[in-house]
Amino acid sequence: MPVETCPIRRNETQPGGLARYGQLVGGEIVTGERDMEVLSPATEAAFAIVPDATRGELARAIAAAGAAFPAWRARSFDERRACLLDFAAAILRDRDRIAEALTREQGKPLSRALSEIGNAVRAIEDICTIDMKPQLLRDTPAEKIELVYRPLGVVAGITAWNVPVILAAQKIAQALYTGNTMVLKPSPYTPVATLLLGEASLGILPPGVLNIVSGGNELGAWLTSDPAIAKISFTGSGPTGRRVLEASASNFARVTLELGGNDAAIVLPDVDLDKVVPALFAAAFNNAGQICMAIKRLYVHADIHDEVVRRFARLADEIRLGDGMLPDSEMGPVQNRAQYEKLLALLADTRAIPDAHIVAGGVAPEGAGYFIRPTVVTGLVEGCRLVDEEPFGPILPILRFDDADDAVERANASPFGLSGSVWSADTARAAALARRLEVGTAWVNRHGGADGGIPLGGAKASGIGREHGLLGLRNYMEPQIVSVPQVAVAPC
Ligand code: NAD
């Protein structure tokens, strides 16, 4: 059955009060053959209907991206930058509508949703200012050799549910600025704000350059195994990343994997606790801990351990947990039931450890919604699930150490290597320790925050390749050596 191509009216309200959103295919917002509901994690009730794309609908999106590629790649970087900056301005124009959808589907407070959109716009602007000149490798009287970078073709973008707008914006900007076209698939838990980015692009990006399809996990599997896909940019969990890598092997698609982390922060005893504790707390509990680069293991020197724990417990107890649509809420729910149940199981496992002390939180309030109070746990060492696994939620273990070298060793004893940080008044000493962390990004006296101009990615099981910055953009292109003789020579 052909896909209905008649554009649907924006934000059309369906019987039952659910708003309906369409997919972006070939420059039009279209409905699909099948629907799926999107739930609010704060109420557990459906609030929106989006397409559950069929294989045929996906094929149409991939074909539209393929057809748009030759003309888009022929444009200059300046022309593509101009389009993307207009797209960024359109996102800003629509920010209130996108933020409301983001809060409803993801759970974060509305103020946080607005900041995510602001950061997404900034990321597009930053990515588009990166200079992609060819690199002159040799220039002698005999020959000139240049390293140039060519667009790859149709890029598949796949995103996670924790910060869906920023992940989508970053992938769109990188793929399109470098001359590729794209088919983007958001998480089935949080498709709405991403579909609204598609609406914002109407009339700005040429038809087919960007396509956004919504659906379940099988849609991701179809997309990544399609022979027309030249590159996959994936953000999500390690087990899915492995499947994506396997799928890419069928046609040697280029792959960037941005996967999970279990970030350690190491706090030396000379820090100013008044400044450092609030910063550490935010880096652990922002977005209810659902950030790939959140602090997930906090190593604190024995001299200040008890005081840091006391201050963390107070900050955690003060947090106003609630529906992100209510103005007073400082922290929203966990995004989905599977994640909520995983976190409750981690809590139960932790409670069964005799030395574990839950000094704050540990409570899932009664009633609708996947709410868990910010939880701080002490008394643990490595070898238990809460320390060894990525919780990806508002539960933080604080671990005591006596010797900084030992703390670095413990931080590195993890299969993950996304990022990490060292905190000290002595920045030179902290930098020396930070360099020893086996991670993609090592910070001193800060933790977290992505910047479109600075490469980002994971070591070890936290990923393959880099996004952002010149290094990231080159991951969206094929390097090509162009060698030209400077003197007339007979062709061989
Ligand atoms: P997930 O792996 O379950 O899903 C991610 C995406 O993959 C979703 O869009 C999903 O529909 C899709 N998918 C599922 N099966 C697929 C398949 N077989 N082929 C292709 N796509 C498929 O991850 P999640 O639960 O949405 O996200 C949480 C994880 O993401 C955490 O581990 C977190 O640390 C990680 N994450 C990493 C970064 C980073 O930049 N490194 C950023 C955000 C989140």
Side-chain angles (χ1 to χ4, degrees):
M1 209 172 113
V3 183
E4 188 188 326
T5 53
C6 150
I8 65 168
R9 283 203 308 283
R10 293 182 179 199
N11 204 5
E12 186 177 304
T13 301
Q14 297 300 296
L18 302 185
R20 179 184 285 277
Y21 299 85
Q23 313 180 103
L24 175 65
V25 178
E28 288 184 321
I29 303 294
V30 296
T31 52
E33 282 174 36
R34 305 183 309 204
D35 288 335
M36 63 183 200
E37 289 184 340
V38 184
L39 304 187
S40 151
T43 62
E44 299 179 54
F47 75 95
I49 297 174
V50 299
D52 179 7
T54 62
R55 237 184 153 129
E57 289 161 27
L58 174 66
R60 194 164 159 267
I62 295 173
F69 177 56
W72 184 247
R73 73 173 299 175
R75 294 196 182 196
S76 67
F77 277 104
D78 284 345
E79 288 171 317
R80 294 195 294 254
R81 175 184 304 118
C83 272
L84 282 163
L85 293 180
D86 286 348
F87 174 49
I91 296 172
L92 265 188
R93 179 199 65 206
D94 293 353
R95 62 186 293 203
D96 290 337
R97 185 166 173 249
I98 301 172
E100 186 179 327
L102 180 57
T103 289
R104 287 197 191 282
E105 66 183 349
Q106 205 284 331
K108 68 190 68 189
L110 201 51
S111 59
R112 295 286 176 177
L114 284 164
S115 337
E116 180 174 337
I117 292 159
N119 289 337
V121 165
R122 235 179 334 276
I124 297 173
E125 292 166 351
D126 288 348
I127 286 163
C128 289
T129 57
I130 296 171
D131 193 353
M132 297 290 292
K133 283 200 179 67
Q135 194 182 341
L136 186 61
L137 299 182
R138 186 171 295 162
D139 190 8
T140 67
E143 62 181 351
K144 184 172 176 180
I145 302 181
E146 274 187 325
L147 174 59
V148 300
Y149 287 86
R150 299 161 58 82
L152 290 164
V154 180
V155 173
I158 297 192
T159 54
W161 44 257
N162 59 333
V163 279
V165 172
I166 193 151
L167 293 174
Q170 289 163 348
K171 289 187 193 309
I172 294 168
Q174 291 176 102
L176 269 50
Y177 180 55
T178 49
N180 303 286
T181 55
M182 175 166 246
V183 178
L184 181 69
K185 188 206 85 67
S187 165
Y189 291 117
T190 53
V192 179
T194 309
L195 292 173
L196 290 179
L197 296 184
E199 283 194 11
S201 78
L202 287 176
I204 295 171
L205 299 175
V209 165
L210 174 65
N211 304 272
I212 303 178
V213 287
S214 55
N217 291 342
E218 72 288 353
L219 183 63
W222 299 334
L223 176 59
T224 50
S225 57
D226 193 288
I229 297 300
K231 179 195 163 90
I232 304 161
S233 170
F234 172 82
T235 300
S237 66
T240 312
R242 201 167 278 123
R243 276 180 226 122
V244 167
L245 201 54
E246 282 163 9
S248 73
S250 59
N251 65 333
F252 299 110
R254 276 49 182 156
V255 180
T256 309
L257 300 178
E258 296 288 338
L259 307 177
N262 194 6
D263 281 13
I266 298 173
V267 188
L268 303 187
D270 62 355
V271 293
D272 176 345
L273 292 181
D274 290 342
K275 286 193 182 134
V276 162
V277 169
L280 290 167
F281 187 85
F285 288 105
N286 267 351
N287 212 35
Q290 301 163 114
I291 300 271
C292 53
M293 296 181 298
I295 295 174
K296 292 167 186 156
R297 293 175 290 159
L298 183 60
Y299 288 93
V300 179
H301 191 273
D303 288 356
I304 54 169
H305 173 275
D306 293 353
E307 179 59 17
V308 168
V309 168
R310 202 180 58 73
R311 292 182 184 216
F312 256 73
R314 200 181 60 226
L315 289 173
D317 288 342
E318 283 169 3
I319 287 277
R320 287 192 299 271
L321 187 68
D323 186 331
M325 294 303 292
L326 302 175
D328 275 357
S329 300
E330 292 172 325
M331 183 185 285
V334 170
Q335 199 282 323
N336 59 73
R337 175 161 286 283
Q339 187 62 19
Y340 175 69
E341 284 174 357
K342 178 188 146 181
L343 289 164
L344 294 184
L346 265 183
L347 263 179
D349 184 87
T350 303
R351 274 188 216 287
I353 299 170
D355 290 336
H357 299 289
I358 297 180
V359 296
V363 179
E366 301 258 308
Y370 310 131
F371 292 98
I372 296 180
R373 282 223 52 91
T375 300
V376 178
V377 185
T378 61
L380 299 178
V381 290
E382 295 74 10
C384 65
R385 287 186 60 201
L386 184 61
V387 178
D388 295 352
E389 296 180 14
E390 178 190 38
F392 214 58
I395 309 178
L396 177 75
I398 300 186
L399 306 139
R400 183 190 292 266
F401 73 87
D402 292 300
D403 174 59
D405 290 330
D406 181 44
V408 169
E409 210 167 295
R410 290 166 69 187
N412 285 339
S414 164
F416 294 106
L418 191 56
S419 37
S421 59
V422 181
W423 301 66
S424 169
D426 179 349
T427 49
R429 178 165 183 236
L433 291 167
R435 282 196 185 87
R436 288 166 49 197
L437 292 174
E438 295 165 1
V439 293
T441 304
W443 290 284
V444 169
N445 294 342
R446 60 171 278 216
H447 197 119
D451 175 330
I454 305 294
L456 170 91
K460 304 197 276 186
S462 288
I464 293 181
R466 291 293 180 272
E467 299 241 281
H468 308 173
L470 186 58
L471 202 58
L473 290 184
R474 286 184 172 162
N475 276 251
Y476 282 78
M477 304 190 87
E478 187 65 39
Q480 182 188 39
I481 298 296
V482 179
S483 173
V484 182
Q486 307 247 54
V487 288
V489 287
C492 49

